Amino acid sequence: MLLKILQLIFCVPPLVLSLILYKKPYRFMAKFHASMKQNIRARKLYTRVILFLLLLFHYVYASGHAGEFGILVSTVICAAMFSFKLADRCLSRLHDSMGLFAGISAITLVSCFEPYLYTTTVTAYYILLAALFYPSAPVTAECDDEEKAEGTTTHPETISEKKHDNHHAMVSLKRTKAAFQKLRTVIIIKTK
């Protein structure tokens, strides 16, 4: 029973956190995305944390379900994530391509109904959620070029305003501020 609760703990918090934090105008999310776009070490740390969580999930699952061969497929995926270049390429491609993201999501939903593919489903689930917060390839390519990144390191909020950026935290924050200013002017006009 404890192993089933632990398996549930591995599935629910990432979903809740992604629902709370994705495309929200929080200042720390803007800083998180700016550091992910500008610094390759931050992206490497992000992929390592995802890999660590996946390996921990595999350990919990394997300790409760010894002898199942369904874990082998997801173990191969985890082994491929040890290569940062491959993980970086896959996560940025998943982030940039809506069709690929939707296709893998559909395959993940279908594989939920096969009990032997449970670990593969959870692995794909973690990778899809990680791809949501991963920066897009054009932005990271711009920031890897030191000449272009010099001007944006002093003002990290300028990177979030790019047209090809899929996370609009700073833009949403500006829209919210503008809406509050309009509301304030309407209230002031009505009170006069």
Side-chain angles (χ1 to χ4, degrees), residues 8-126:
L8 183 65
I9 287 173
F10 274 105
C11 292
V12 174
L15 179 65
V16 171
L17 283 175
S18 65
L19 289 174
I20 292 171
L21 298 176
Y22 185 66
K23 289 191 177 182
K24 298 295 187 221
Y26 301 126
R27 185 175 301 269
F28 70 92
M29 285 302 292
K31 287 181 182 179
F32 168 74
H33 280 280
S35 66
M36 286 277 287
K37 291 170 191 165
Q38 294 173 2
N39 195 348
I40 194 166
R41 287 186 217 140
R43 292 192 300 270
K44 193 176 281 192
L45 175 67
Y46 183 70
T47 57
R48 296 299 182 229
V49 167
I50 297 298
L51 180 62
F52 175 74
L53 289 173
L54 284 173
L55 291 175
L56 193 61
F57 170 76
H58 278 79
Y59 174 74
V60 168
Y61 187 82
S63 63
H65 300 84
E68 277 196 26
F69 293 110
I71 200 168
L72 293 176
V73 176
S74 59
T75 304
V76 170
I77 296 170
C78 286
M81 282 189 69
F82 274 105
S83 168
F84 171 69
K85 288 182 181 180
L86 182 62
D88 182 49
R89 210 173 325 132
C90 290
L91 288 174
S92 61
R93 182 169 288 171
L94 270 173
H95 181 81
D96 292 338
S97 173
M98 185 64 80
L100 182 64
F101 191 89
I104 292 179
S105 298
I107 291 170
T108 302
L109 284 175
V110 170
S111 67
C112 284
F113 300 110
E114 184 62 41
Y116 293 108
L117 295 177
Y118 178 69
T119 56
T120 307
T121 302
V122 172
T123 302
Y125 163 73
Y126 265 83

